Amino acid sequence: MRSRVGLTVLLAIVSLLAIGPFVLMVVVALTPRLAPTLPYAWPSSLTLDNFVGLLSTEDFLRWTGNTLIYSSVSVVLVLLSASMAGYVFARKRFPGRDALLWSLLSTLMVPFHAVLMPSVVLIQLLGWADTYWGLIVPTLANAQAVLLLRQFIRALPDEVFDAARIDGAGDWRVYWNIVLPLCRPVLATLAVFVFLWHWNDFLWPLVVSGSGETATLTVGLSTLDAGHLTMPELMSAATVTGLPCLLVFLLVQRRLVNTVQAAATR
């Protein structure tokens, strides 16, 4: 009993240490612009003026829209392409399948920085610099997602696929009506990771779009002049930037936990 209470207290302390910086960030963001802020003084009043001013800025709205497009479209396309590739590698037999799979997985050992400049040169030759095509297309080949889905689909019962074949279902129908519904837990987990990766991505949007029309939030915020902004204004920008990540996690939290538990019992 004592050990359980001690563990609960320890987890509570760790949780407070993890949540504390985010709470302080929100408190500072709600502090009036010219009022003393933490750690010098606790705000005597709270206001939403910093958020209202931030959300009324044209550049910030453009950066947010670009980031939503970059993250959302990438999630959909990565899940579709990775699930198709995972199904093919798990359930189809063709010459060179294993060699192609190992070639794909070998890309995980290549640092992104090693292929950064060749990718940028290719994007420029295609005329995709500072476009959504240049942002999204090069990030769609996700070997980790393919491997995870391939392993998940490979573990599905053979009887399900045999029954579908007996009923005359083709590859597309098997993929769309059987594979995708059964892969919903792992797809939800992948969606969270892919969304967070693209939402917080900085280097690739920086070299492709810079501070142009398709600049994302991470790139846009890096161009803000901190010398002319107060701490509450900076913290309000950080809060708005991190809020979508928290909302996405809360929406799929149950599926994420179920997927981790299912993977542990396999």
Side-chain angles (χ1 to χ4, degrees):
M1 182 66 181
R2 290 182 178 178
S3 61
R4 188 169 185 178
V5 173
L7 180 60
T8 303
V9 173
L10 177 61
L11 292 177
I13 294 175
V14 173
S15 300
L16 290 175
L17 291 176
I19 299 174
F22 297 99
V23 175
L24 295 178
M25 178 180 67
V26 174
V27 171
V28 174
L30 294 173
T31 304
R33 183 173 179 271
L34 299 178
T37 62
L38 296 171
Y40 305 105
W42 188 266
S44 58
S45 62
L46 301 178
T47 179
L48 294 174
D49 291 344
N50 297 318
F51 292 97
V52 173
L54 181 68
L55 296 177
S56 61
T57 305
E58 182 179 352
D59 287 339
F60 189 85
L61 294 177
R62 175 167 55 84
W63 298 337
T64 304
N66 291 337
T67 309
L68 283 173
I69 294 174
Y70 175 46
S71 303
S72 303
V73 175
S74 296
V75 166
V76 175
L77 296 181
V78 167
L79 293 185
L80 282 176
S81 59
S83 59
M84 290 180 185
Y87 168 61
V88 170
F89 284 126
R91 292 292 171 175
K92 304 299 292 182
R93 295 183 180 274
F94 55 90
R97 183 190 64 175
D98 294 339
L100 184 60
L101 176 62
W102 284 108
S103 299
L104 177 64
L105 297 181
S106 65
T107 60
L108 295 174
M109 297 182 290
V110 180
F112 173 70
H113 301 81
V115 297
L116 177 61
M117 292 313 299
S119 300
V120 172
V121 172
L122 180 60
I123 291 300
Q124 292 177 343
L125 291 176
L126 293 173
W128 288 356
D130 198 16
T131 65
Y132 292 123
W133 290 105
L135 273 177
I136 296 173
V137 172
T139 64
L140 298 184
N142 193 319
Q144 293 176 330
V146 173
L147 177 61
L148 181 61
L149 282 164
R150 184 248 185 187
Q151 295 301 108
F152 188 88
I153 297 172
R154 192 178 183 184
L156 296 176
D158 295 334
E159 293 78 6
V160 176
F161 295 92
D162 295 338
R165 296 299 183 189
I166 293 174
D167 290 340
D171 288 329
W172 177 254
R173 187 176 177 185
V174 170
Y175 164 76
W176 191 259
N177 294 334
I178 296 178
V179 173
L180 283 185
L182 292 177
C183 290
R184 284 177 183 174
V186 69
L187 288 175
T189 304
L190 275 175
V192 174
F193 291 128
V194 174
F195 182 85
L196 294 180
W197 169 40
H198 285 84
W199 185 271
N200 296 315
D201 193 13
F202 175 75
L203 182 58
W204 180 247
L206 176 65
V207 298
V208 173
S209 61
S211 57
E213 291 299 319
T214 58
T216 59
L217 269 173
T218 53
V219 176
L221 292 179
S222 69
T223 63
L224 294 178
D225 187 359
H228 294 81
L229 295 177
T230 62
M231 184 59 67
E233 291 173 327
L234 291 175
M235 290 299 101
S236 63
T239 302
V240 173
T241 303
L243 187 60
C245 300
L246 178 62
L247 294 177
V248 168
F249 175 77
L250 293 177
L251 288 175
V252 298
Q253 178 184 11
R254 181 174 299 178
R255 287 190 177 272
L256 184 62
V257 173
N258 293 338
T259 302
V260 174
Q261 292 177 345
T265 57
R266 285 182 180 272

